[in-house]
Amino acid sequence: MSLVIRHAEPADYARVIAVVDDWWGGRQMAAMLPKLFFVHFRDTSFVAEDGGALAGFLCGFRSQTYADEAYIHFVGVDPARRGDGLGRMLYERFFAAVAPRTLVRAVTSPVNERSVAFHRALGFEIERIDEDYDGAGEARVLLVRHL
């Protein structure tokens, strides 16, 4: 395995957006990931490549409002790579990048039970479920991890 995790670049966007819906089992997710993360948040967004092939990515940022917080917006791992620790490696890289901040937040859909379980395994706690977080009837699980 020749795994490399590096900062995201604007040129990575096309490769990532091309696989997002497929990696989410056909759910329409591409609109949730604008290119701005690959332009304006490169120091806290990462791409994982294995032999040059896209294996995963993480897009996040330091909060502009809360000086001690950071937020993970979108993470994806090639379904063929799930369970081999790549997701954890991406999160650890993000945690290091946002230090010395001590609180990391993330949001996921309640229907994405694998995501909830993954976050809990990484030490995230469920802060609450907000039934209308992204608009009426758009429930989200709000997750928080203290570093």
Side-chain angles (χ1 to χ4, degrees):
M1 175 166 80
S2 58
L3 184 68
V4 174
I5 298 176
R6 60 172 175 76
H7 290 284
E9 297 289 334
D12 293 316
Y13 182 73
R15 289 194 313 158
V16 169
I17 210 68
V19 300
V20 165
D21 291 347
D22 184 48
W23 285 8
W24 266 258
R27 288 174 57 205
Q28 300 300 301
M29 301 297 292
M32 301 280 292
L33 184 59
K35 188 173 183 176
L36 66 90
F37 285 94
F38 295 77
V39 177
H40 297 286
F41 298 104
R42 295 189 329 221
D43 66 331
T44 53
S45 295
F46 302 92
V47 169
E49 296 172 315
D50 193 351
L54 181 65
F57 66 92
L58 180 150
C59 295
F61 55 89
R62 292 175 194 88
S63 174
Q64 295 290 308
T65 304
Y66 303 105
D68 201 34
E69 295 187 16
Y71 181 81
I72 296 175
H73 174 68
F74 213 107
V75 181
V77 173
D78 182 335
R81 297 292 304 258
R82 291 181 186 159
D84 72 358
L86 178 55
R88 180 179 290 276
M89 285 186 262
L90 286 163
Y91 274 68
E92 293 295 337
R93 185 67 62 95
F94 178 81
F95 297 155
V98 301
R101 297 191 181 210
T102 59
L103 191 73
V104 176
R105 295 186 181 279
V107 174
T108 193
S109 173
V111 301
N112 195 342
E113 294 173 1
R114 288 184 64 155
S115 175
V116 173
F118 171 76
H119 283 90
R120 302 237 3 208
L122 285 180
F124 281 81
E125 300 169 8
I126 295 174
E127 187 173 46
R128 70 179 192 279
I129 298 174
D130 187 326
E131 296 299 332
D132 298 313
Y133 184 82
D134 276 332
E138 295 292 329
R140 298 293 180 265
V141 179
L142 281 65
L143 300 152
V144 62
R145 176 172 168 177
H146 298 270
L147 299 179

